[in-house]
C-alpha cells in the first residue's frame, strides 16, 4: 500500500523548551525510539484506521469509547540533531510530537465547517455540537496552543516555500515505494520567521491581503507559538511517490516561489509570470492526478 499522499510542515522544538508534563512524555517516547520521518505517514494512517474500525468507532485516535484518552494511547515523536539544521537552533534533541489527536480534532472542526449536511450525517455518529465541543476540548490540551505539524494532501501550498532557503533542499532518490525516498528542506526558526515576514510584507503591498497573503499570515502566526530556537521542516512526504526521479531533481518550486517574491518587490511582472508558469506546470500535474485518481 502506498504511503498517504500528504506533505508536511513541521516544527522541532528543543526538549528543554517544553513544559514539564510534555517533556516527560517526549523523553519516554525517545527512550522507546523516535519514529523516522519516513514512518510518520504510515503510522498516522494506521492509528486513524484503527480508531474507525473499533466498535463503536472512536471519534479521534487514541480514545476510549466514552471519549476519554485511552491509557495505552500511542505518543509518537520525531527527532532531529541540531547538526541537521542550517542556521542556529537550540541544543538537541530537537523534537516534534506528532500531536495526532489534536490534529485530528482540528481536521474535524474543518470538516464541520465545510462538509454538506448529508455528508456530515453519514460520516459522524454523534451530533455536530458534541463533535465540536470534544474537538475544542482536545485542542485546548495543547500547551503551546498549536500543533507541531500541519499537512496537506496532493500538493504543497506555494507560500510554504518562502520559509526555506532553496539551496537547503535534501533529495534522496530511491524506488517510489521506498519510504526513504524524500524531498525536504530544514531551516532555523529565526530564518523561517524572517523569510515569511518579508514575503508577507511584499505580497500584501503587491496583491493585497487575500490568497497567498492569508496563507503567509496564518503560517507566521503558527510559527510564533513555538520556541525561537526551534527548527522548521518542509517535507514532500508521500507526494514523492507520484513524481519521477527526473522531475524531482529538476523541481525548482522553492527557487520559483522565492524568485516571485523578489520580482514582486522589484515590480517585474514578466518574471512573476514566467516563474508562476513553471509552478503551474509542475503542481498542475499532481492536481490532475488527484481529480482523476
Amino acid at each position: 500500500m502506498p504511503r498517504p499522499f500528504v506533505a508536511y510542515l513541521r516544527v522541532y522544538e528543543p526538549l528543554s523548551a517544553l513544559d514539564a508534563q510534555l517533556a516527560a512524555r517526549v523523553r519516554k517516547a525517545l527512550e522507546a525510539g523516535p519514529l523516522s520521518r519516513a514512518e510518520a505517514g504510515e503510522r498516522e494512517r494506521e492509528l486513524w484506521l484503527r480508531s474507525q474500525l473499533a466498535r463503536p468507532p472512536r471519534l479521534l485516535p487514541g480514545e476510549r469509547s466514552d471519549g476519554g484518552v485511552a491509557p495505552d494511547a500511542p505518543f509518537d515523536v520525531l527527532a532531529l540533531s541540531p547538526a541537521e539544521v542550517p542556521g542556529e537552533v537550540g541544543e538537541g534533541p530537537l523534537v516534534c510530537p506528532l500531536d495526532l489527536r489534536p490534529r485530528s480534532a482540528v481536521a474535524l472542526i474543518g470538516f464541520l465547517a465545510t462538509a454538506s449536511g448529508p455528508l456530515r450525517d453519514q460520516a459522524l455518529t454523534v451530533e455536530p455540537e458534541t463533535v465540536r465541543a470534544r474537538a475544542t476540548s482536545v485542542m485546548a490540551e495543547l500547551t503551546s496552543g498549536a500543533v507541531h505539524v500541519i499537512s496537506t494532501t496532493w500538493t504543497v501550498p506555494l507560500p510554504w516555500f518562502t520559509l526555506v532557503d532553496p539551496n537547503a533542499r535534501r533529495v534522496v532518490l530511491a524506488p517510489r515505494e521506498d519510504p526513504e525516498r524524500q524531498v525536504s528542506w530544514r531551516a532555523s526558526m529565526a530564518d523561517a520567521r524572517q523569510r515569511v515576514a518579508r514575503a508577507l510584507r511584499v505580497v500584501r503591498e503587491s496583491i493585497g491581503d487575500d490568497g497567498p497573503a492569508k496563507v503567509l499570515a496564518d503560517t507566521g502566526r503558527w510559527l510564533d507559538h513555538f520556541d525561537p530556537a526551534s527548527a522548521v521542516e518542509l517535507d514532500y512526504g508521500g507526494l514523492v511517490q507520484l513524481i519521477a526521479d527526473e522531475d524531482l531533481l529538476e523541481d525548482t518550486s522553492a527557487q520559483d516561489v522565492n524568485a516571485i517574491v523578489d520580482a514582486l518587490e522589484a515590480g517585474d511582472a514578466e518574471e512573476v509570470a514566467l516563474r508562476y508558469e513553471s509552478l503551474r506546470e509542475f503542481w498542475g500535474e499532481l492536481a490532475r492526478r488527484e481529480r482523476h485518481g
Side-chain angles (χ1 to χ4, degrees), residues 109 112 127-139:
I109 294 290
L112 289 175
E127 291 298 319
E129 293 77 14
T130 301
V131 173
R132 190 174 289 106
R134 282 172 58 182
T136 301
S137 175
V138 169
M139 291 161 57

Side-chain angles (χ1 to χ4, degrees), residues 7 9 152 154-164 185 196 199 203 211-213 215-216 219 234 236 251-261 272 275-284 286:
L9 196 58
T152 61
W154 290 93
T155 191
V156 174
L158 295 181
W160 285 7
F161 288 107
T162 64
L163 276 67
V164 299
W185 293 257
V196 77
V203 169
V215 176
L216 289 166
T219 304
L234 172 56
Y236 278 12
D251 172 28
T252 58
S253 296
Q255 289 92 332
D256 291 333
V257 170
N258 282 276
I260 285 174
V261 174
V272 171
R275 296 287 185 162
Y276 181 76
E277 179 58 26
S278 174
L279 291 163
R280 189 190 65 80
E281 181 178 344
F282 184 84
W283 293 102
L286 289 188

Side-chain angles (χ1 to χ4, degrees), residues 18-233:
L18 305 181
D19 74 272
Q21 183 177 6
L22 179 57
R25 298 184 72 193
V26 168
R27 287 191 183 95
K28 184 176 180 180
L30 292 176
E31 290 171 1
L35 286 181
S36 71
R37 178 208 56 80
E39 295 171 320
E42 291 185 350
R43 174 67 165 165
E44 292 177 357
R45 177 172 60 193
E46 172 197 345
L47 294 176
W48 176 256
L49 288 175
R50 191 185 300 172
S51 71
Q52 298 308 296
L53 293 174
R55 289 293 176 267
R58 308 305 192 243
L59 186 63
L60 297 170
E63 285 190 341
R64 301 189 305 254
S65 58
D66 63 2
V69 180
D72 60 346
F75 183 82
D76 295 314
V77 175
L78 303 180
L80 283 179
S81 163
E84 300 177 85
V85 183
E88 294 187 11
V89 293
E91 293 184 357
L94 302 173
V95 295
C96 176
L98 292 189
D99 296 331
L100 183 57
R101 236 175 124 248
R103 285 169 56 207
S104 298
V106 171
L108 272 177
I109 294 290
F111 176 77
L112 289 175
T114 58
S116 64
L119 179 58
R120 287 198 305 269
D121 294 341
Q122 184 67 27
L124 299 174
T125 58
V126 293
E127 291 298 319
E129 293 77 14
T130 301
V131 173
R132 190 174 289 106
R134 282 172 58 182
T136 301
S137 175
V138 169
M139 291 161 57
E141 296 171 5
L142 291 165
T143 55
S144 67
V147 294
H148 288 76
V149 184
I150 53 178
S151 59
T152 61
T153 56
W154 290 93
T155 191
V156 174
L158 295 181
W160 285 7
F161 288 107
T162 64
L163 276 67
V164 299
D165 178 352
N167 297 319
R169 185 173 71 149
R170 301 158 51 89
V171 180
V172 177
L173 295 182
R176 292 199 191 193
E177 66 277 7
D178 189 327
E180 294 303 320
R181 182 180 178 87
Q182 71 162 292
V183 172
S184 64
W185 293 257
R186 291 166 185 163
S188 69
M189 178 62 76
D191 191 31
R193 285 176 175 169
Q194 289 175 359
R195 287 176 172 275
V196 77
R198 183 238 174 177
L200 177 58
R201 174 182 57 78
V202 171
V203 169
R204 276 178 168 165
E205 291 173 354
S206 303
I207 59 179
D209 289 327
D210 296 329
K214 185 178 187 307
V215 176
L216 289 166
D218 289 345
T219 304
R221 284 192 292 269
W222 175 66
L223 294 178
D224 286 341
H225 283 90
F226 302 103
D227 190 86
S230 301
V232 180
E233 179 178 62

